[in-house]
Amino acid sequence: MKQDLKRIAFHTLGCKLNYAETSTIARDFKQKNYEIVTFSDPADVYVLNTCTVTGNAERKCRKLIRQVRKRAPGAYVAVVGCYAELRAEEIAAIPGVDLVLGSADKFDLISRLAEHPKNGAPVILTSSGQDHLDYHASWSVGTRTRSFLKIQDGCDYNCSYCTIPMARGQSRNGSIAEVVAAAQVIIGQGSNEIVLTGVNIGDFGKSTGESLVDLLRSLESVEGLNRLRLSSIEPNLLTDEILELMTSSPKFCPHFHLPLQSGSDRILRLMKRRYPRDLYARRVNKIRRLLPDAFIAADVIVGFPGETDEDFHETVDFIKGLEISALHVFTYSERPGTSALALTGAVSTAERERRSRKLHELSVLKKQAFYDRAVGQTRTVLFESGSHGLLTGFTDNYIQVQVPGRGDLCNTLAEVKLTGRVEDILKGEMVQ
Ligand code: SF4
């Protein structure tokens, strides 16, 4: 029975990499004359690109499936990505799900959908733990001011709390030539900023015998590229060479997202992280020396099994002593199949929440101090949105700025004098 499916809606949970991949899959449908509608619109097909990093991300997915089933009972529902790869049966058991595609098959959604019409019996296609998955280039363009460009996938690390290697397989990457070609396409479509994304981007080059610093050199010389931003990079993989290169060109945004996870070496060992906290502090200090105005954000996990009050205080004191700009605070989430599940010393939910609140408060102070230090500076801002005569955007060093201006200046770059902070945004005026 031929299905007349012409309107399709996508919803992405999780990371920038997922957004780049959803955008790429959606382009396949656009080329086949599907109308891409928003997830709240009526559609013939609803696609959820999922995340499995926390239990909460999975709960969100199940809730969205139930919502779609309620408002569009006849629609086709496809659930793809990391959560689908690891717990396909669980998803397929939810009434209304028609197709469950794992990390590899999600890129063939358009043909899988044609092969498996809606018939009440959900179809599951996953890589079921295969390690050697193919690499699929992906990027987002036109949907947001900043474009996410995938450069690497999978991970060879085995952090004890993490399911990503199980969901996405071994580390692999596109070649420098492929990534540069994708960047040229993105620039050709009017994007002013590219954010390089992946799972463990510091490992870029492993499957092609190349390196991240060589990729950055090649991208830096791409004509028309105004801004290049790195997404999260492991501190032990942020080399001096990369830092020195990033100091050499204004195209590199002085913005670093460096996962720390804990300020206690004992906990870092239990997490199987690949650096002692001193290495982290040396990286931060090196960045500060080379790029004094750089935005440095640190991921921290609270409530990891075995984390005592002393460990937590060590983390708080360690972070207080670091010249960083903000924290991304995550509450430890038990993940099936991870080695951390075997660890003793579980931290109560109430205590996890208390520690999370404490670090959020510290992050607010760090960020306000970083923003206050920028008042009086003139920086380049990429405007992303505009309303009520105000334009909002981000500086190269990731400060959110608001200036008086017309909405049609979105996706343009301008010099802005930063004049003062109002809560967590800086006010500014355009430099004529
Ligand atoms: S580096 Fe660790 S936390 Fe990051 S994806 Fe790999 S295993 Fe997970």
Side-chain angles (χ1 to χ4, degrees), residues 75-187:
Y76 192 106
V77 176
V79 182
V80 309
C82 298
Y83 177 29
E85 175 65 40
L86 295 184
R87 274 175 284 293
E89 308 290 343
E90 182 176 299
I91 295 168
I94 303 172
V97 171
D98 299 291
L99 187 62
V100 182
L101 299 181
S103 298
D105 290 274
K106 66 184 175 196
F107 294 102
D108 303 324
L109 178 60
I110 202 157
S111 42
R112 298 283 175 269
L113 212 149
E115 290 157 13
H116 304 289
K118 188 174 185 68
N119 64 6
V123 172
I124 294 175
L125 295 165
T126 64
S127 318
S128 47
Q130 251 187 73
D131 244 359
H132 295 287
L133 300 180
D134 293 339
Y135 180 79
H136 292 266
S138 297
W139 62 86
S140 71
V141 67
T143 46
R144 296 165 164 226
T145 309
R146 267 173 280 156
S147 290
F148 300 143
L149 172 53
K150 172 182 176 177
I151 61 169
Q152 181 271 351
D153 200 348
C155 186
D156 294 343
Y157 284 21
N158 58 351
C159 303
S160 60
Y161 51 83
C162 184
T163 53
I164 300 173
M166 292 180 253
R168 285 182 169 270
Q170 88 298 344
S171 182
R172 56 213 187 275
N173 55 274
S175 68
I176 291 181
E178 283 167 333
V179 175
V180 166
Q184 285 161 335
V185 170
I186 292 172
I187 294 160

Side-chain angles (χ1 to χ4, degrees), residues 347-362:
V347 178
S348 72
T349 308
E351 182 54 17
R352 292 180 204 190
E353 284 161 8
R354 188 192 71 78
R355 291 176 186 177
S356 174
R357 273 196 307 279
K358 185 133 175 100
L359 284 188
H360 274 106
E361 287 158 14
L362 180 55

